[in-house]
Structures are given as structure tokens and as C-alpha cells.
Amino acid sequence: MSIPRKFFVAILSLSLSYASFYGLYLFLNPRDAKPSEAREDAQWIATSHSWIDRTACKFVGICGGDHWRGQTRWWRNKGQLQQDRIQQSHLHSEDWHDPQAHPANWSKDERILREIPDYVYEYAPLVHLYSEEKYWPTDIADHLHHVTARRNYTLVPEGGLNLTHLAALNELNKGKHVFLTSNEDPEQAPGWLSGEKNIPIHATEANVREDAKQDLEWDGQVEGEALDDVARREGWYEVGEGTRHDLVRRGAMPFAEADAMIDSFDVEAYHEAIQARDKHAWRHRQAGKSQAPAILVVVQKGDGIVDAFWFYFYSFNRGNKVLKIEFGNHVGDWEHSMVRFQHGEAKAIFLSEHNFGGAYSYDAIEKIGKRPVIYSAVGSHAMYATPGKHTYVLPFGLLHDTTDRGPLWDPALNTHAYTYDYKSDVLRSSTASPYSPTSWFYFAGHWGDKFYELGDKRQYRFAGQYHYVNGPLGPRFKNLGRKKICQGRDSDPCVIKNWLDGPTKAKRWIGVGQGEEWPELEE
């Protein structure tokens, strides 16, 4: 290829990239920036030491162009990997024990408020992680041992982070600008960031009894009327009072006061009952168990409606590439699925997907026995209902996630379970895990780094999209009191698909930002 032709191809590629990303920028930012956001952006641009870079960023939208690299070092040599495994060999089970919890003091009524219905476990989702994943599930207790609290970029003096006292960071402006920042450079791929020790114990569909397996050749179609109409008629489409925004951003940490002791809580008898409930032979073998616990939050909505949220945490989210340019990396990653029940019957499931998501009927979703089977995308960990390639936001597959039938994770085998009163914003440890701390839930800051400054060699921005973005907020900010099963605002439509791989794409929920942050209402 001649030099003029190469130059023409290079210019054409750059123009196409810019047009694509500028379109993405306009799509994801439909409203004008607030004055405070504009000031922060100006300060961010000013951190670059290059006049050319600052000028190109301000007028052309290409920021940190000299920082762009080919392939980031996402690998480690075998010696380093073995050393990381040795350092990570200990568990942080003591971090999950709240010394202030006194289940023996719970009254009968208090225990009822903390009970998880059996059907929540019977219909617990199974998650196929990607076969070539580099960033596996992580224990949030372990995550806290490798991060430091910062207010924006300034170190916050603290005596060590733990799950029992994490909400104390809300004393700094209600936690709004607090970031749990990695102690090591994410681009050097420290071992703890990968969560490799948490790869689930080998489990395949062959572990499941033949008579409980679903025919995987099923076409994913369910006959009958639109599920939205069914849901409205049956009374579970829109329920409850909705999330109170004055609660989720106030940074307070309420606790439920235990009544005077009436009877004792028999932990040993409870665990015997749990073991008796686990009837599947493959669960006795612990196939699918990960050392990284899932978080279960059960919300009673009244009139027999129960929402069971399953939260999955990863210490790192690796963004996707568009035309070989990578965007959207961030430390800390919260994903979730939610199953809605009516009188103990599973009706529908919601899967989080970037800053939007998809809702499906229980009948439509793939299952093993009663349990829904869902898929986690490589790198981004976005949740999908099928394996394969999933295009989002940009056309022609320019931006897409990929899922497959990799390791099968059974979150129910290692879970810290809670009940949540969304009206009073009270989280309770459940009878299933009575000593699980609750302070971490009320932490109002970010579970990862603040997006790096332009002067940082790891950062760049192209047409409004950053290489590194802010870490996400935690489960409390996922609209747990939602009326509809979908993640969006109560006024947004919610399409519950009665099919898989259908023509209707899951919508983007405007106003729900990076990490599925639930926005504050404007004063």
C-alpha cells in the first residue's frame, strides 16, 4: 500500500472513530452539563502538562492522545502469579462477623423480619462466567484490604477499612466524594485485582440430574399474550411505593433496634435445616461454589410481592474496545440480577447491563431445574440471558459484550443474606447469616478509584468517553424500592420480554449513570 493511500486510510479511520464516539457521547449525555460539572471538567483538563494536549482536549475532544498505548499489560509471569496466590491464600471470614450483632436477643417478631423465604433459594440464579475471563468475582472484604479511602484525590486518614465500620466515611460530606482507591496500579495487574482464586469449583450441566435439565435447544419463545399485560392483570407489574431518594443519598446509617430477649436463636439447628434443604446432589458436592460471596438482599413489597436481589462484586471492570481503543475501565464493579415473586411464584427476572438492563419472564429465561441461568460478559461483567455477542449503544457491532458457557457459578452456595425495608432504609442481617455486618451497605461513596486526571499517563478521553471512569456506588443505590422490575425510574416504560434474542433491545435508562448509580432528585 502506498504512503498516500495509507495516510488516507488512517485519516478515514480516525474520522470514523471520532464520529462514532461523538455519537456515543451525545447519546449518553442528552442534557447540557451543569455548571459544577463544567468547572470540574475544566479543572480536569488543566491537569495535563501539555499545552497541545489541553488545547486538543478543549476544542477537538481528543484528550491524552499521547497516552494511548497498544496493549495494556494484563498478564503476569508465572512466578508473580504463584506469589499472588500465596498472599491471597487466607480468607477474610473474620471480616464478615459483626461483633455488635446479637441474634440471641432477637424477638420472634424481629426474626420474622429477617427470614429469607425458601423459594428465594430454590429459584436462585446460576451464572455462567466467561471462559477466558481475567477478572473474576471478588470478596468485598478482601477488596477493602487493598484500597485506601480518598476524598477525590486526597488521602483520608483512617485506621483501616472494614465492613463493620465502612459507613463512618460518610462523615466526609455524606460520603459523596469518597473513593476507595486501589493501593496498586491497576494496569500492573496485581493478583488481588483478578480474583483468580475465586473461580468457581468446576461445575457443568452434567452435574445436574437429567430429569431436572431443560432442553437447551429450545428456541426461547413463549406463546401467549404480552407479559406486560399479564403482569398488570395479575398485579405485579408495578408495586410498592418506590425508592425514597431522600434516604438513599443522605449518608445516614440507621439500625433496627432489637426487642428485649424473648427466646434464643439456635444457630446450629438453623444450619442443619439449611443442609436438609439442599436436596440437589451436585450442591452437596459444592460444584459451582466460589470463595467470593454473593450478596442477597430480599425486599418485601406487600400483597405477596417479593424482590430478591443478587449482587455480584468484582474488583475490576475492564472496558470494551471500539476500533481498538479501550474505554470504561474502573476499579470496583457491582452487577446484579433480581427475581420478582408473587405469592412464592417466580414471575420475572431483571439483569443489569452497564447503565441499563433487560427484563425477562421467568418462563422465557433458560433454566436448570427451577433455577434461572444467566451469563456474565467478559471484562464488563454485564448480565445477559443468552451466550454470544451482545451489541449495545453503537450500531454495526462496534461496541459489544461477549458471553459464553464458561465456569458455572452457584451464588447460593456462598451468600451473605439480608432483608431490606425500603420505606425506612433499614438493612437487617438475615437468619441465614445473622452475624453479617451492615455498615458497608450504607457507605455512600464509590467502591473504586476516581477517574484519573488528564495528567495521569493511564488516562485519555476521546469524544467524551474516558479510558478510566469512576468506580461505582454500592447496592443501596440500585433502586431497591423500584415499583417495576426494571432499573429505570418509575415513570419509564418497562418491557418484560417473553422471548430470548428477540428484536426488541433492552432500553437505556436515562439518568442512571456509571455503575448504575441512582441519581439524586434535583432540589
Side-chain angles (χ1 to χ4, degrees):
M1 183 182 295
S2 63
I3 293 179
R5 188 174 181 182
K6 288 182 179 179
F7 180 77
F8 174 76
V9 171
I11 293 297
L12 182 63
S13 299
L14 183 62
S15 300
L16 179 60
S17 300
Y18 185 82
S20 299
F21 281 110
Y22 192 68
L24 175 62
Y25 171 70
L26 293 178
F27 182 80
L28 293 177
N29 297 272
R31 290 168 287 192
D32 294 335
K34 298 178 182 178
S36 59
E37 294 173 343
R39 287 195 299 271
E40 184 177 22
D41 186 66
Q43 293 170 357
W44 180 80
I45 294 174
T47 63
S48 175
H49 300 293
S50 168
W51 176 85
I52 295 177
D53 189 23
R54 294 194 301 271
T55 303
C57 185
K58 184 176 180 179
F59 295 103
V60 186
I62 299 177
C63 313
D66 59 329
H67 300 171
W68 294 359
R69 304 196 263 293
Q71 183 65 36
T72 308
R73 190 171 79 90
W74 300 110
W75 53 269
R76 290 161 287 156
N77 60 54
K78 293 183 179 180
Q80 180 63 43
L81 179 59
Q82 181 63 26
Q83 182 65 27
D84 289 339
R85 284 174 174 166
I86 293 173
Q87 292 176 353
Q88 296 181 68
S89 60
H90 64 288
L91 298 177
H92 299 287
S93 57
E94 68 278 4
D95 294 341
W96 281 102
H97 185 93
D98 185 353
Q100 297 180 354
H102 301 290
N105 293 348
W106 294 346
S107 69
K108 183 177 180 179
D109 290 341
E110 180 67 24
R111 284 193 303 186
I112 290 174
L113 293 175
R114 297 172 182 265
E115 289 178 352
I116 305 294
D118 284 347
Y119 57 77
V120 169
Y121 293 100
E122 293 172 4
Y123 292 88
L126 296 165
V127 184
H128 272 295
L129 303 171
Y130 193 71
S131 58
E132 298 181 11
E133 181 61 70
K134 297 295 189 296
Y135 298 96
W136 303 92
T138 309
D139 186 336
I140 59 173
D142 190 31
H143 184 78
L144 293 183
H145 284 262
H146 299 279
V147 297
T148 302
R150 290 179 179 271
R151 186 174 182 180
N152 291 322
Y153 303 106
T154 303
L155 185 66
V156 174
E158 41 83 13
L161 302 175
N162 60 66
L163 299 174
T164 306
H165 301 101
L166 193 62
L169 293 172
N170 293 345
E171 296 176 3
L172 297 171
N173 194 26
K174 298 183 179 180
K176 188 173 182 180
H177 301 292
V178 177
F179 293 82
L180 303 183
T181 305
S182 173
N183 295 332
E184 300 171 84
D185 182 1
E187 297 212 346
Q188 297 304 311
W192 67 272
L193 210 63
S194 73
E196 189 171 354
K197 67 172 183 176
N198 301 318
I199 298 175
I201 298 172
H202 182 64
T204 66
E205 286 151 7
N207 293 125
V208 188
R209 297 175 304 178
E210 279 301 315
D211 60 351
K213 290 180 60 178
Q214 173 181 302
D215 181 8
L216 298 181
E217 298 301 320
W218 171 59
D219 63 6
Q221 303 296 316
V222 178
E223 302 298 330
E225 61 183 309
L227 190 65
D228 296 0
D229 296 333
V230 175
R232 288 186 178 92
R233 189 180 68 251
E234 294 182 351
W236 58 268
Y237 179 77
E238 189 169 6
V239 296
E241 300 179 6
T243 297
R244 288 180 55 186
H245 294 264
D246 61 317
L247 290 176
V248 300
R249 243 324 184 183
R250 70 186 183 190
M253 185 180 61
F255 288 99
E257 295 183 1
D259 295 332
M261 181 174 65
I262 297 178
D263 48 13
S264 62
F265 178 77
D266 192 334
V267 177
E268 182 177 352
Y270 174 78
H271 285 294
E272 290 177 356
I274 290 293
Q275 293 173 4
R277 188 186 63 200
D278 294 342
K279 299 178 181 179
H280 295 298
W282 73 299
R283 291 189 65 181
H284 283 309
R285 293 196 295 270
Q286 301 292 287
K289 183 177 181 180
S290 169
Q291 291 187 33
I295 304 297
L296 170 62
V297 179
V298 175
V299 184
Q300 296 277 355
K301 294 294 183 64
D303 298 324
I305 306 298
V306 172
D307 288 345
F309 290 85
W310 292 88
F311 287 97
Y312 319 103
F313 184 77
Y314 307 79
S315 280
F316 192 77
N317 177 107
R318 185 179 182 185
N320 286 314
K321 292 183 178 181
V322 178
L323 301 176
K324 298 185 178 182
I325 305 175
E326 189 172 80
F327 296 90
N329 292 343
H330 55 88
V331 174
D333 187 22
W334 283 103
E335 302 293 340
H336 77 275
S337 61
M338 186 263 272
V339 181
R340 173 160 289 183
F341 297 90
Q342 183 181 42
H343 302 303
E345 180 183 354
K347 291 294 186 178
I349 184 170
F350 175 83
L351 307 178
S352 66
E353 175 193 334
H354 300 288
N355 53 345
F356 37 93
Y360 300 85
S361 71
Y362 172 75
D363 289 335
I365 207 78
E366 180 187 329
K367 290 176 283 293
I368 294 178
K370 295 180 179 180
R371 303 180 63 180
V373 177
I374 58 182
Y375 296 82
S376 174
V378 59
S380 73
H381 312 121
M383 312 297 293
Y384 293 94
T386 58
K389 181 178 177 180
H390 309 274
T391 299
Y392 64 97
V393 180
L394 293 181
F396 312 117
L398 289 175
L399 191 60
H400 66 271
D401 282 317
T402 305
T403 59
D404 69 7
R405 296 184 187 277
L408 187 63
W409 179 20
D410 184 353
L413 291 177
N414 185 8
T415 300
H416 290 277
Y418 300 86
T419 62
Y420 180 64
D421 185 336
Y422 72 97
K423 296 179 182 178
S424 59
D425 191 31
V426 173
L427 184 80
R428 294 177 171 90
S429 59
S430 72
T431 55
S433 49
Y435 293 97
S436 294
T438 57
S439 175
W440 66 268
F441 176 82
Y442 293 100
F443 169 57
H446 297 257
W447 285 78
D449 299 23
K450 183 177 177 66
F451 69 101
Y452 301 140
E453 297 177 321
L454 181 56
D456 192 314
K457 293 295 184 181
R458 297 170 293 185
Q459 185 67 294
Y460 53 78
R461 186 177 74 184
F462 188 41
Q465 302 308 301
Y466 294 81
H467 183 211
Y468 277 91
V469 300
N470 289 338
L473 298 178
R476 188 176 176 227
F477 304 93
K478 308 303 184 186
N479 193 11
L480 300 180
R482 66 186 71 169
K483 292 183 177 181
K484 301 171 185 176
I485 192 172
C486 296
Q487 170 70 17
R489 299 177 185 274
D490 295 336
S491 58
D492 290 333
C494 178
V495 177
I496 305 175
K497 298 181 184 179
N498 226 6
W499 65 90
L500 299 180
D501 291 328
T504 304
K505 192 73 183 74
K507 72 162 290 183
R508 164 183 170 267
W509 302 111
I510 295 176
V512 183
Q514 181 62 43
E516 300 171 32
E517 299 171 9
W518 190 242
E520 297 180 74
L521 292 180
E522 296 183 2
E523 298 292 340

